C-alpha cells in the first residue's frame, strides 16, 4: 500500500494525514526517551565516551526525523506549491536544506 503524501497548507500550517502525524510523533517519542537516557547517564557520572556514543545516536535519530519530515514536505507541500505557481516555496526549501546541511 502506497503512503499518501499530501499537503493542504493554509497560511503556515500543514494538515497532515493521520499516518504522517503518527510516524512523526513516534519518532519524537523515541528521541525524547533517548534524551532522558542521556540525562541519566550524566546524573550517574557515566564515562564520557559512553555518553558521547549515546549523543551520536540521538543526533542520528533526529536526522531520521528530519528526513521523514522533509520527505513529506517535498512530496506534499513543495509539489503542491509548484503546481499552484508558488515559486517562493523552492527558495524556502533551499534555505532550509542549507541549514540542515550545516
Amino acid at each position: 500500500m502506497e503512503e499518501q503524501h499530501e499537503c493542504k497548507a493554509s497560511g503556515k500550517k500543514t494538515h497532515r494525514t493521520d499516518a504522517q502525524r503518527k510516524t512523526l510523533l513516534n519518532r519524537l517519542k523515541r528521541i525524547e526517551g533517548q534524551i532522558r537516557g542521556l540525562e541519566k547517564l550524566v546524573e550517574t557520572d557515566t564515562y564520557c565516551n559512553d555518553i558521547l556514543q549515546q549523543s551520536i545516536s540521538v543526533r542520528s535519530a533526529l536526522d531520521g526525523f528530519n528526513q521523514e519530515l522533509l520527505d513529506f514536505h517535498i512530496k506534499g507541500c513543495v509539489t503542491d506549491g509548484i503546481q499552484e505557481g508558488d515559486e517562493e516555496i523552492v527558495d524556502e526549501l533551499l534555505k532550509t536544506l542549507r541549514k540542515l546541511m550545516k
Side-chain angles (χ1 to χ4, degrees), residues 26 31 42 56 76 89:
N26 284 342
I31 293 167
V42 171
I56 291 166
I89 199 157

Side-chain angles (χ1 to χ4, degrees), residues 19-39 54-69 72:
Q20 290 171 338
R21 188 176 300 107
K22 182 178 179 182
T23 296
L24 294 172
L25 288 173
N26 284 342
R27 283 184 176 269
L28 287 173
K29 287 176 184 177
R30 282 195 301 270
I31 293 167
E32 180 182 27
Q34 289 178 307
I35 295 292
R36 285 193 181 128
L38 271 174
E39 289 173 339
Q54 182 62 27
S55 177
I56 291 166
S57 295
V58 170
R59 182 174 44 187
S60 178
L62 192 55
D63 286 344
F65 171 83
N66 287 337
Q67 289 170 12
E68 191 78 37
L69 186 57
F72 292 149

Side-chain angles (χ1 to χ4, degrees), residues 78 82 86-98:
V78 174
I82 290 170
D86 180 4
E87 295 178 22
E88 290 179 17
I89 199 157
V90 174
D91 291 333
E92 177 187 79
L93 175 62
L94 291 172
K95 183 177 177 182
T96 299
L97 288 172
R98 285 185 194 103

Side-chain angles (χ1 to χ4, degrees), residues 33-46 51:
Q34 289 178 307
I35 295 292
R36 285 193 181 128
L38 271 174
E39 289 173 339
K40 288 184 182 184
L41 293 176
V42 171
E43 289 170 352
T44 58
D45 294 329
T46 301
I51 296 172

